[in-house]
Amino acid sequence: MTAEEMVKAGDVSVLQRLRVVPASRAYFSGQPRFTDSLLELEAIQRKYETLPTIPQAQAPRVAWKDIVAFKTDVGANAEPVKVSKYSKIKHILKRLNRIHPALMPQEAADIMNRYKRDIQPHMNAATPGTIDIQGRAAGVGKRKSSSAVAYAVEGEGEVMVNGKPLSLMFSRVHDRETAIWALKATHRVDKYNIFAIVKGGGTTGQAGALTMAIAKALVVHEPALKTSLRAAGCITRDPRTVERKKAGKLKARKMPAWVKR
Amino acid sequence: MNTAGKGAKKKKQAAAVARAKWQKMQLRGDQRRQVRRSVILTNDNALEVHGIPKLERKAIESLEIEGKMVRLMDSTVDQLRAVEAFKHNQGWKYFRHPSMIMTKAAVKMVNTLKRITDGVEPETVRTVVIGETTCGKSTLLLQAIAAAFLKGWIVLNLPNSIDMVNAGIEYAPVPNTSPVQYQQKTYSALLLTQLATANGPLLSKMQTTMSHPNLTFPYANSTLKRLCDLGAQNNEMAWPIFRAVWAELTKPSPTTPPILYTCDNVNELMKPSAYVDPDLKPIHAHDLLHVAHFMEHLSGAQTLSNGGMVLAAPTASGTSDIPTFSHCLRVIEAQQNGHTTKGWHPYKKADERVIRSLQGVEVLRLNGLDKEEARTILNYYAASGMLRNLVDEKFVAEKWTLAGNGNVGQLEKLTVRTSSAKAPSAYT
């Protein structure tokens, strides 16, 4: 007869020599919400452990709630939840996410939804550019305070910027080279005609904005070029802009000259 | 080591620039201008390019020169120098011999000259060549002048048209004219010198046949060359002699050759000049005798009785923009192409004289070279040793685009006029 059967039968003498342990670890905490959540997840994980999984790389990308959002949502703000503890929850969620999508149980999907962020950035795929009926693809680029729109069409290398040829637009040869760098880096100088509008900023910024705009338009025509264009530095927006002036300084960093009292 | 070498090179260059500046400072004002404006047509350090045909009369007659480089003959060079058709800022000084590419526009121009020469009825073609800076407008004028010389035409070129209007030479009102016109005797003498030197052999064969009441010396049966020489030596008589020679040249006659009358930087003549009248008001350029003479022919008020061509080209420099002039050219070009353009600003005053001077002219727009022509000229640069890159399709395509869709001056700037050849980058 086990101790449990003895207690049920009315014989409580056994309790004098046994230590009673609560079934849930949550028994010991003031507000056991975190632990409850963890236990709930553990139970589900255990239940569906035998289902086939897919590799992590193929699992759908999910942005899980961070610890602050978790604590707010489950009302566990008063509860000290460490990041390392919360990572246990995330570990289980990731495991559940790896269950083969075709066999994903409703119960697991529901509980995962509770831990997903409201906005899933991975779902926001950029709208792919299109080539219009005249064969033009548009791209937008920025650099410093300039912004450019470039339209690329298959052709023999004519470039018009703001209705002017490159030589009239940029008197400095270096700027012209910058502007068509995306074409040169991919050996496409004589394969496309470019028509671009560029506004704002100075010559350097405008040339840089054109590089990016032309690269983006080029990618619409030939998506495979994106890697080499990225390597050539045409895809990423250069985040450097002019640094703001601060009070007490003459410029962003320059200090006033020292004066003897 | 490398950076130290670069620094030393820079220092050397700076020293050379300073030395050149100092040498210039030692010259008088007029000498300095001479140095600045000197036309250098040869470069002993450039390689001789073989296989370039000479621009001869026979070559002009055939159509085989289209898109090819041609070399000017020494005799033509002398004539072109005499009419000051070479400009000091053109790139002649980089090459062994003055050579040029016969573009489609140049061949078209040559064909027009041919049509006028061969035509039964005398025809006067009036053309303004337009296009962006350094696209070859002045060179096209030079090519037309060279072709005219080879075809035995009389050529009169108004050299340095800005000099006519910037108040650099003395001027005087012409008596009994209304509105008052102004003569520039030195300039008239200069033009006569040019006529006599460049067209000497032709003019020495022609004799005066008309009566010229303005000439106060016995001139009967003297050759036109003699008249020109007289006028060139005597400023006071220069303008009457110029009129007399022009009257003789434009008298209908089967033996008198057609005339090519050209003017570069014509937009400088389309505005009030730097001269002032007795009330200190600016004198309009069209009130200067020689300018008025050219404008009469450009506007078609006077025709060339033995046929010929009046050819003008403006500078495309933004600082010289004349609103009325640019507008007229835009309108004419649009009409030629069957387009419409915006009208003139309703509250701005247009220069009526400029509008009149451009009535009925043909506008010829010069575009950049095409890829084939660009390749030909880059090959010429390379063969001259002035360009040390491999001229292949990729190189031509890149330079063509960087040069603003084949602008020939820009092609030269990118290849010949750069101080150092571009090192191949990682991506080429």
Side-chain angles (χ1 to χ4, degrees):
Chain A
M1 199 180 220
T2 64
E4 201 176 344
E5 284 164 351
M6 287 168 72
V7 172
K8 273 185 184 168
D11 180 6
V12 291
S13 63
V14 71
L15 291 180
Q16 283 174 347
R17 45 187 183 84
L18 282 180
R19 191 169 68 88
V20 181
V21 179
S24 163
R25 275 172 277 168
Y27 179 86
F28 294 107
S29 60
Q31 281 183 310
R33 288 184 179 129
F34 165 75
T35 320
D36 282 346
S37 309
L38 183 63
L39 290 173
E40 187 186 13
L41 279 166
E42 275 175 350
I44 290 173
Q45 185 192 4
R46 210 174 303 120
K47 190 171 171 189
Y48 298 114
E49 213 159 28
T50 50
L51 286 180
T53 56
I54 50 175
Q56 179 65 44
Q58 290 169 22
R61 290 187 75 184
V62 178
W64 304 109
K65 278 177 186 162
D66 62 1
I67 189 162
V68 179
F70 165 76
K71 279 162 81 171
T72 315
D73 280 14
V74 299
N77 269 337
E79 202 173 304
V81 181
K82 286 183 181 168
V83 177
S84 57
K85 299 282 179 198
Y86 182 62
S87 68
K88 284 185 178 173
I89 287 189
K90 279 196 94 160
H91 186 77
I92 298 170
L93 287 169
K94 281 180 188 167
R95 172 63 184 74
L96 290 177
N97 193 37
R98 275 176 53 208
I99 298 175
H100 199 288
L103 302 169
M104 178 68 77
Q106 191 56 43
E107 193 184 2
D110 287 345
I111 200 157
M112 281 198 299
N113 279 341
R114 271 178 24 213
Y115 289 91
K116 284 180 183 173
R117 273 192 224 167
D118 293 341
I119 293 167
Q120 290 292 318
H122 306 303
M123 306 287 279
N124 294 348
T127 333
T130 48
I131 302 174
D132 72 5
I133 200 160
Q134 274 105 355
R136 297 171 300 192
V140 180
K142 288 184 177 181
R143 167 91 166 85
K144 289 185 166 185
S145 48
S146 311
S147 63
V149 187
Y151 299 88
V153 62
E154 282 180 32
E156 56 276 343
E158 284 179 40
V159 179
M160 292 294 255
V161 182
N162 290 357
K164 285 182 271 188
L166 216 48
S167 57
L168 287 188
M169 188 65 198
F170 299 112
S171 55
R172 190 162 164 249
V173 178
H174 189 278
D175 287 338
R176 293 181 214 166
E177 284 172 343
T178 307
I180 63 158
W181 173 240
L183 294 168
K184 196 187 165 189
T186 51
H187 308 299
R188 296 291 188 279
V189 176
D190 53 348
K191 303 287 188 290
Y192 291 95
N193 287 351
I194 305 289
F195 177 84
I197 305 282
V198 55
K199 285 176 187 166
T203 45
T204 314
Q206 294 198 334
L210 278 170
T211 315
M212 196 176 162
I214 292 174
K216 294 278 175 72
L218 206 53
V219 165
V220 177
H221 280 283
E222 296 179 63
L225 288 182
K226 190 162 183 176
T227 324
S228 48
L229 283 169
R230 189 179 289 289
C234 304
I235 297 290
T236 313
R237 205 262 200 224
D238 189 342
R240 292 172 297 171
T241 50
V242 69
E243 188 176 334
R244 65 151 288 189
K245 186 201 174 297
K246 280 95 179 173
K249 304 221 173 189
L250 296 175
K251 303 200 289 177
R253 310 247 175 124
K254 189 184 182 187
M255 285 300 287
W258 179 82
V259 183
K260 188 182 177 187
R261 275 160 287 284
Chain B
M1 184 72 197
N2 194 13
T3 48
K6 266 186 188 170
K9 199 179 168 191
K10 258 191 182 170
K11 264 186 192 169
K12 244 185 185 176
Q13 280 176 352
V17 168
R19 198 162 49 243
K21 236 182 193 175
W22 184 83
Q23 278 170 354
K24 270 187 189 170
M25 297 272 279
Q26 306 309 305
L27 300 170
R28 285 199 320 274
D30 55 334
Q31 286 174 329
R32 277 162 75 177
R33 184 189 296 151
Q34 242 175 13
V35 168
R36 203 177 66 233
R37 290 187 171 183
S38 60
V39 175
I40 300 162
L41 295 180
T42 181
N43 175 10
D44 288 343
N45 292 323
L47 299 176
E48 178 106 40
V49 184
H50 299 285
I52 293 186
K54 282 188 178 175
L55 188 67
E56 292 167 321
R57 186 165 184 158
K58 210 165 66 187
I60 284 183
E61 302 291 339
S62 73
L63 286 174
E64 283 165 18
I65 50 170
E66 181 169 328
K68 288 189 182 146
M69 294 295 298
V70 289
R71 183 181 143 188
L72 289 168
M73 288 195 300
D74 290 348
S75 55
T76 319
V77 168
D78 291 343
Q79 284 175 307
L80 290 170
R81 256 192 192 281
V83 297
E84 296 183 49
F86 294 110
K87 291 174 81 172
H88 68 275
N89 51 2
Q90 289 169 332
W92 306 109
K93 65 180 169 192
Y94 296 108
F95 306 100
R96 180 63 76 97
H97 299 291
S99 312
M100 55 209 183
I101 186 163
M102 293 304 281
T103 55
K104 288 187 188 67
V107 172
K108 197 180 155 199
M109 190 65 80
V110 170
N111 286 342
T112 312
L113 292 184
K114 193 168 176 239
R115 191 186 74 213
I116 295 169
T117 317
D118 300 344
V120 183
E121 287 294 310
E123 182 190 2
T124 310
V125 174
R126 298 175 285 129
T127 307
V128 179
V129 185
I130 59 170
E132 64 195 52
T133 42
T134 69
C135 73
K137 299 181 293 297
S138 299
T139 308
L140 184 68
L141 253 59
L142 180 136
Q143 285 170 324
I145 294 172
F149 277 131
L150 291 171
K151 285 196 160 289
W153 285 30
I154 302 277
V155 176
L156 179 62
N157 180 33
L158 298 186
N160 301 330
S161 52
I162 193 163
D163 283 351
M164 292 166 81
V165 290
N166 64 3
I169 40 183
E170 72 267 38
Y171 69 118
V174 182
N176 309 325
T177 47
S178 172
V180 185
Q181 294 212 301
Y182 295 83
Q183 54 184 338
Q184 295 156 296
K185 293 169 185 168
T186 330
Y187 199 79
S188 306
L190 190 83
L191 280 188
L192 286 175
T193 318
Q194 187 207 98
L195 260 178
T197 322
N199 308 288
L202 273 175
L203 294 181
S204 50
K205 276 185 221 151
M206 296 162 73
Q207 290 189 328
T208 51
T209 53
M210 300 160 77
S211 68
H212 303 290
N214 286 336
L215 298 190
T216 52
F217 56 89
Y219 56 85
N221 292 333
S222 60
T223 62
L224 296 188
K225 169 105 181 8
R226 167 105 186 99
L227 271 188
C228 289
D229 286 339
L230 274 176
Q233 288 155 16
N234 184 354
N235 284 358
E236 287 304 314
M237 287 308 293
W239 172 248
I241 290 182
F242 179 83
R243 286 314 300 250
V245 170
W246 193 259
E248 296 283 352
L249 289 175
T250 51
K251 185 187 164 196
S253 146
T255 53
T256 315
I259 297 175
L260 177 64
Y261 197 0
T262 57
C263 175
D264 201 355
N265 301 352
V266 74
N267 50 347
E268 303 291 352
L269 308 182
M270 294 292 180
K271 60 184 177 185
S273 69
Y275 291 112
V276 285
D277 66 5
D279 301 330
L280 292 180
K281 282 186 187 142
I283 297 170
H284 196 283
H286 289 200
D287 284 332
L288 302 169
L289 283 180
H290 278 291
V291 179
H293 188 254
F294 181 78
M295 294 307 163
E296 273 172 15
H297 288 84
L298 185 65
S299 64
Q302 295 282 333
T303 52
L304 303 166
S305 317
N306 299 308
M309 197 169 189
V310 185
L311 202 54
T315 65
S317 145
T319 50
S320 308
D321 186 53
I322 317 285
T324 315
F325 181 64
S326 314
H327 178 76
C328 286
L329 292 180
R330 258 200 306 279
V331 169
I332 296 169
E333 193 188 8
Q335 279 171 353
Q336 277 175 202
N337 299 335
H339 301 152
T340 50
T341 44
K342 266 196 234 168
W344 179 252
H345 193 286
Y347 296 107
K348 273 189 186 159
K349 212 174 163 190
D351 193 339
E352 293 293 330
R353 312 178 71 163
V354 171
I355 298 172
R356 270 204 301 280
S357 69
L358 291 173
Q359 263 169 5
V361 299
E362 179 203 359
V363 166
L364 174 65
R365 177 168 284 281
L366 274 194
N367 292 318
L369 303 183
D370 63 26
K371 288 269 173 72
E372 260 323 295
E373 290 168 341
R375 187 170 195 142
T376 308
I377 204 157
L378 289 177
N379 274 329
Y380 170 73
Y381 294 162
S384 297
M386 300 304 290
L387 167 66
R388 284 167 209 164
N389 293 58
L390 176 70
V391 180
D392 57 2
E393 199 176 339
K394 215 168 75 182
F395 182 80
V396 174
E398 191 202 330
K399 295 296 171 200
W400 187 88
T401 302
L402 286 177
N405 308 342
N407 183 304
V408 62
Q410 289 294 335
L411 275 177
E412 190 182 85
K413 183 184 168 190
L414 288 168
T415 51
V416 177
R417 294 193 190 214
T418 43
S419 57
S420 57
K422 274 263 144 80
S425 73
Y427 294 101
T428 50

Short mmCIF file of all heavy atoms in Angstrom, two decimals, chain B residues 365-400:
data_model
loop_
_atom_site.label_atom_id
_atom_site.label_comp_id
_atom_site.label_asym_id
_atom_site.label_seq_id
_atom_site.Cartn_x
_atom_site.Cartn_y
_atom_site.Cartn_z
N ARG B 365 21.35 71.05 -84.57
CA ARG B 365 21.76 70.65 -83.22
C ARG B 365 22.83 69.57 -83.29
O ARG B 365 22.65 68.57 -83.99
CB ARG B 365 20.58 70.15 -82.41
CG ARG B 365 21.00 69.65 -81.02
CD ARG B 365 19.86 69.41 -80.10
NE ARG B 365 19.30 70.64 -79.57
CZ ARG B 365 19.84 71.34 -78.57
NH1 ARG B 365 20.95 70.94 -77.99
NH2 ARG B 365 19.26 72.44 -78.14
N LEU B 366 23.92 69.81 -82.59
CA LEU B 366 25.00 68.80 -82.53
C LEU B 366 24.80 67.95 -81.28
O LEU B 366 24.67 68.47 -80.18
CB LEU B 366 26.34 69.49 -82.41
CG LEU B 366 27.05 69.92 -83.68
CD1 LEU B 366 28.47 70.26 -83.35
CD2 LEU B 366 26.99 68.85 -84.72
N ASN B 367 24.75 66.65 -81.47
CA ASN B 367 24.70 65.75 -80.32
C ASN B 367 26.08 65.15 -80.13
O ASN B 367 27.00 65.43 -80.89
CB ASN B 367 23.65 64.67 -80.55
CG ASN B 367 22.25 65.25 -80.53
OD1 ASN B 367 21.95 66.09 -79.70
ND2 ASN B 367 21.42 64.84 -81.46
N GLY B 368 26.19 64.31 -79.13
CA GLY B 368 27.48 63.67 -78.87
C GLY B 368 27.84 62.68 -79.99
O GLY B 368 27.02 62.36 -80.84
N LEU B 369 29.08 62.22 -79.94
CA LEU B 369 29.50 61.20 -80.89
C LEU B 369 28.75 59.90 -80.61
O LEU B 369 28.34 59.66 -79.48
CB LEU B 369 31.00 60.92 -80.73
CG LEU B 369 31.96 62.08 -80.88
CD1 LEU B 369 33.38 61.57 -80.76
CD2 LEU B 369 31.77 62.77 -82.21
N ASP B 370 28.57 59.08 -81.65
CA ASP B 370 28.03 57.76 -81.36
C ASP B 370 29.18 56.84 -80.94
O ASP B 370 30.35 57.25 -80.97
CB ASP B 370 27.20 57.21 -82.53
CG ASP B 370 28.03 57.01 -83.79
OD1 ASP B 370 29.23 56.82 -83.65
OD2 ASP B 370 27.46 57.05 -84.90
N LYS B 371 28.84 55.62 -80.56
CA LYS B 371 29.87 54.74 -79.98
C LYS B 371 31.01 54.47 -80.98
O LYS B 371 32.17 54.44 -80.60
CB LYS B 371 29.23 53.41 -79.58
CG LYS B 371 28.33 53.49 -78.37
CD LYS B 371 29.09 53.22 -77.09
CE LYS B 371 28.24 53.47 -75.87
NZ LYS B 371 27.21 52.50 -75.65
N GLU B 372 30.64 54.29 -82.25
CA GLU B 372 31.66 53.98 -83.27
C GLU B 372 32.64 55.15 -83.40
O GLU B 372 33.85 54.96 -83.43
CB GLU B 372 30.98 53.71 -84.62
CG GLU B 372 30.81 52.25 -84.98
CD GLU B 372 31.97 51.37 -84.56
OE1 GLU B 372 33.08 51.56 -85.10
OE2 GLU B 372 31.78 50.50 -83.70
N GLU B 373 32.06 56.36 -83.47
CA GLU B 373 32.91 57.55 -83.60
C GLU B 373 33.78 57.72 -82.37
O GLU B 373 34.96 58.07 -82.48
CB GLU B 373 32.02 58.79 -83.81
CG GLU B 373 31.32 58.82 -85.15
CD GLU B 373 30.23 59.88 -85.25
OE1 GLU B 373 29.76 60.36 -84.20
OE2 GLU B 373 29.84 60.20 -86.37
N ALA B 374 33.18 57.47 -81.20
CA ALA B 374 33.95 57.59 -79.95
C ALA B 374 35.12 56.62 -79.97
O ALA B 374 36.23 56.96 -79.58
CB ALA B 374 33.05 57.31 -78.76
N ARG B 375 34.86 55.43 -80.45
CA ARG B 375 35.91 54.42 -80.50
C ARG B 375 37.03 54.86 -81.44
O ARG B 375 38.22 54.71 -81.14
CB ARG B 375 35.31 53.09 -80.99
CG ARG B 375 36.30 52.00 -80.89
CD ARG B 375 35.70 50.64 -81.13
NE ARG B 375 36.67 49.68 -80.66
CZ ARG B 375 36.40 48.57 -80.04
NH1 ARG B 375 35.17 48.26 -79.81
NH2 ARG B 375 37.34 47.78 -79.64
N THR B 376 36.64 55.43 -82.58
CA THR B 376 37.64 55.90 -83.55
C THR B 376 38.54 56.95 -82.92
O THR B 376 39.76 56.89 -83.03
CB THR B 376 36.92 56.50 -84.78
OG1 THR B 376 35.98 55.57 -85.25
CG2 THR B 376 37.89 56.86 -85.87
N ILE B 377 37.91 57.91 -82.23
CA ILE B 377 38.71 59.01 -81.69
C ILE B 377 39.56 58.54 -80.51
O ILE B 377 40.71 58.96 -80.34
CB ILE B 377 37.82 60.22 -81.35
CG1 ILE B 377 38.66 61.50 -81.39
CG2 ILE B 377 37.12 60.10 -80.01
CD1 ILE B 377 37.88 62.74 -81.63
N LEU B 378 39.03 57.59 -79.72
CA LEU B 378 39.84 57.07 -78.59
C LEU B 378 41.02 56.26 -79.12
O LEU B 378 42.11 56.30 -78.56
CB LEU B 378 38.96 56.23 -77.66
CG LEU B 378 37.95 57.01 -76.83
CD1 LEU B 378 37.09 56.06 -76.01
CD2 LEU B 378 38.63 58.00 -75.91
N ASN B 379 40.79 55.55 -80.21
CA ASN B 379 41.89 54.82 -80.83
C ASN B 379 42.97 55.78 -81.31
O ASN B 379 44.16 55.50 -81.22
CB ASN B 379 41.38 54.00 -82.02
CG ASN B 379 40.86 52.64 -81.57
OD1 ASN B 379 41.35 52.08 -80.59
ND2 ASN B 379 39.87 52.13 -82.26
N TYR B 380 42.52 56.92 -81.82
CA TYR B 380 43.47 57.94 -82.28
C TYR B 380 44.28 58.48 -81.09
O TYR B 380 45.49 58.62 -81.18
CB TYR B 380 42.72 59.06 -82.99
CG TYR B 380 43.57 60.27 -83.28
CD1 TYR B 380 44.53 60.25 -84.29
CD2 TYR B 380 43.43 61.44 -82.54
CE1 TYR B 380 45.32 61.34 -84.55
CE2 TYR B 380 44.22 62.55 -82.79
CZ TYR B 380 45.16 62.50 -83.80
OH TYR B 380 45.95 63.58 -84.05
N TYR B 381 43.60 58.72 -79.98
CA TYR B 381 44.31 59.19 -78.78
C TYR B 381 45.36 58.16 -78.35
O TYR B 381 46.48 58.50 -78.00
CB TYR B 381 43.34 59.39 -77.60
CG TYR B 381 42.31 60.50 -77.77
CD1 TYR B 381 41.18 60.53 -76.98
CD2 TYR B 381 42.49 61.51 -78.71
CE1 TYR B 381 40.23 61.54 -77.11
CE2 TYR B 381 41.55 62.51 -78.85
CZ TYR B 381 40.42 62.52 -78.06
OH TYR B 381 39.50 63.51 -78.19
N ALA B 382 44.94 56.90 -78.40
CA ALA B 382 45.86 55.83 -77.97
C ALA B 382 47.04 55.72 -78.93
O ALA B 382 48.19 55.59 -78.50
CB ALA B 382 45.10 54.51 -77.88
N ALA B 383 46.74 55.82 -80.23
CA ALA B 383 47.81 55.70 -81.22
C ALA B 383 48.78 56.88 -81.12
O ALA B 383 49.96 56.75 -81.44
CB ALA B 383 47.22 55.62 -82.63
N SER B 384 48.28 58.02 -80.65
CA SER B 384 49.15 59.19 -80.46
C SER B 384 49.97 59.07 -79.19
O SER B 384 50.79 59.94 -78.91
CB SER B 384 48.31 60.47 -80.37
OG SER B 384 47.64 60.67 -81.57
N GLY B 385 49.71 58.04 -78.40
CA GLY B 385 50.44 57.85 -77.16
C GLY B 385 49.94 58.75 -76.04
O GLY B 385 50.55 58.87 -74.99
N MET B 386 48.80 59.40 -76.25
CA MET B 386 48.28 60.31 -75.24
C MET B 386 47.30 59.60 -74.31
O MET B 386 46.85 60.16 -73.33
CB MET B 386 47.58 61.51 -75.89
CG MET B 386 48.49 62.33 -76.76
SD MET B 386 49.94 62.91 -75.88
CE MET B 386 49.21 64.09 -74.77
N LEU B 387 46.95 58.37 -74.66
CA LEU B 387 46.04 57.58 -73.82
C LEU B 387 46.67 56.21 -73.68
O LEU B 387 47.02 55.59 -74.69
CB LEU B 387 44.67 57.49 -74.50
CG LEU B 387 43.69 56.47 -73.94
CD1 LEU B 387 43.28 56.84 -72.54
CD2 LEU B 387 42.45 56.40 -74.83
N ARG B 388 46.87 55.77 -72.44
CA ARG B 388 47.63 54.54 -72.26
C ARG B 388 46.77 53.39 -71.78
O ARG B 388 47.24 52.48 -71.13
CB ARG B 388 48.79 54.80 -71.30
CG ARG B 388 49.88 55.55 -72.00
CD ARG B 388 50.86 56.08 -71.01
NE ARG B 388 51.47 57.29 -71.53
CZ ARG B 388 52.14 58.13 -70.79
NH1 ARG B 388 52.27 57.91 -69.51
NH2 ARG B 388 52.67 59.20 -71.31
N ASN B 389 45.48 53.43 -72.08
CA ASN B 389 44.62 52.30 -71.70
C ASN B 389 44.35 51.46 -72.94
O ASN B 389 44.54 51.89 -74.06
CB ASN B 389 43.28 52.80 -71.17
CG ASN B 389 43.45 53.54 -69.87
OD1 ASN B 389 44.18 54.52 -69.81
ND2 ASN B 389 42.81 53.07 -68.84
N LEU B 390 43.89 50.26 -72.67
CA LEU B 390 43.46 49.40 -73.77
C LEU B 390 42.09 49.90 -74.22
O LEU B 390 41.18 50.01 -73.41
CB LEU B 390 43.37 47.95 -73.26
CG LEU B 390 42.84 46.93 -74.25
CD1 LEU B 390 43.85 46.70 -75.36
CD2 LEU B 390 42.52 45.63 -73.55
N VAL B 391 41.97 50.23 -75.48
CA VAL B 391 40.68 50.74 -75.97
C VAL B 391 39.84 49.57 -76.45
O VAL B 391 39.98 49.09 -77.57
CB VAL B 391 40.89 51.77 -77.10
CG1 VAL B 391 39.56 52.29 -77.60
CG2 VAL B 391 41.75 52.91 -76.62
N ASP B 392 39.02 49.04 -75.56
CA ASP B 392 38.11 47.96 -75.94
C ASP B 392 36.68 48.43 -75.74
O ASP B 392 36.44 49.58 -75.36
CB ASP B 392 38.40 46.68 -75.16
CG ASP B 392 38.31 46.90 -73.66
OD1 ASP B 392 37.98 48.04 -73.26
OD2 ASP B 392 38.55 45.97 -72.89
N GLU B 393 35.76 47.52 -76.00
CA GLU B 393 34.34 47.92 -75.98
C GLU B 393 33.93 48.47 -74.61
O GLU B 393 33.22 49.45 -74.51
CB GLU B 393 33.48 46.70 -76.33
CG GLU B 393 32.10 47.07 -76.79
CD GLU B 393 31.31 45.85 -77.23
OE1 GLU B 393 31.93 44.82 -77.55
OE2 GLU B 393 30.08 45.93 -77.23
N LYS B 394 34.44 47.81 -73.55
CA LYS B 394 34.08 48.21 -72.19
C LYS B 394 34.59 49.61 -71.89
O LYS B 394 33.87 50.45 -71.33
CB LYS B 394 34.69 47.20 -71.21
CG LYS B 394 33.84 46.94 -70.00
CD LYS B 394 34.35 45.75 -69.22
CE LYS B 394 35.59 46.10 -68.45
NZ LYS B 394 36.18 45.00 -67.70
N PHE B 395 35.83 49.85 -72.27
CA PHE B 395 36.45 51.15 -72.02
C PHE B 395 35.70 52.26 -72.76
O PHE B 395 35.37 53.30 -72.20
CB PHE B 395 37.92 51.10 -72.48
CG PHE B 395 38.68 52.37 -72.24
CD1 PHE B 395 39.19 52.66 -70.99
CD2 PHE B 395 38.88 53.28 -73.26
CE1 PHE B 395 39.89 53.82 -70.76
CE2 PHE B 395 39.58 54.45 -73.04
CZ PHE B 395 40.09 54.72 -71.80
N VAL B 396 35.38 51.98 -74.04
CA VAL B 396 34.67 52.97 -74.84
C VAL B 396 33.30 53.26 -74.22
O VAL B 396 32.90 54.43 -74.06
CB VAL B 396 34.50 52.48 -76.30
CG1 VAL B 396 33.63 53.45 -77.09
CG2 VAL B 396 35.84 52.33 -76.97
N ALA B 397 32.60 52.19 -73.82
CA ALA B 397 31.25 52.35 -73.27
C ALA B 397 31.31 53.22 -72.01
O ALA B 397 30.49 54.12 -71.83
CB ALA B 397 30.65 50.99 -72.95
N GLU B 398 32.29 52.95 -71.16
CA GLU B 398 32.36 53.69 -69.90
C GLU B 398 32.67 55.17 -70.15
O GLU B 398 32.01 56.05 -69.62
CB GLU B 398 33.43 53.06 -69.01
CG GLU B 398 33.39 53.60 -67.60
CD GLU B 398 34.70 53.43 -66.88
OE1 GLU B 398 35.42 52.47 -67.18
OE2 GLU B 398 35.01 54.28 -66.02
N LYS B 399 33.66 55.42 -70.99
CA LYS B 399 34.06 56.81 -71.24
C LYS B 399 32.93 57.54 -71.96
O LYS B 399 32.69 58.73 -71.71
CB LYS B 399 35.33 56.87 -72.08
CG LYS B 399 36.54 56.30 -71.38
CD LYS B 399 36.90 57.08 -70.13
CE LYS B 399 37.96 56.37 -69.33
NZ LYS B 399 38.03 56.81 -67.95
N TRP B 400 32.23 56.83 -72.83
CA TRP B 400 31.13 57.45 -73.59
C TRP B 400 30.04 57.93 -72.63
O TRP B 400 29.53 59.03 -72.76
CB TRP B 400 30.58 56.42 -74.58
CG TRP B 400 29.56 56.96 -75.54
CD1 TRP B 400 29.81 57.55 -76.74
CD2 TRP B 400 28.14 56.94 -75.39
NE1 TRP B 400 28.63 57.90 -77.33
CE2 TRP B 400 27.58 57.55 -76.54
CE3 TRP B 400 27.27 56.48 -74.40
CZ2 TRP B 400 26.22 57.68 -76.72
CZ3 TRP B 400 25.91 56.62 -74.59
CH2 TRP B 400 25.39 57.22 -75.73
#
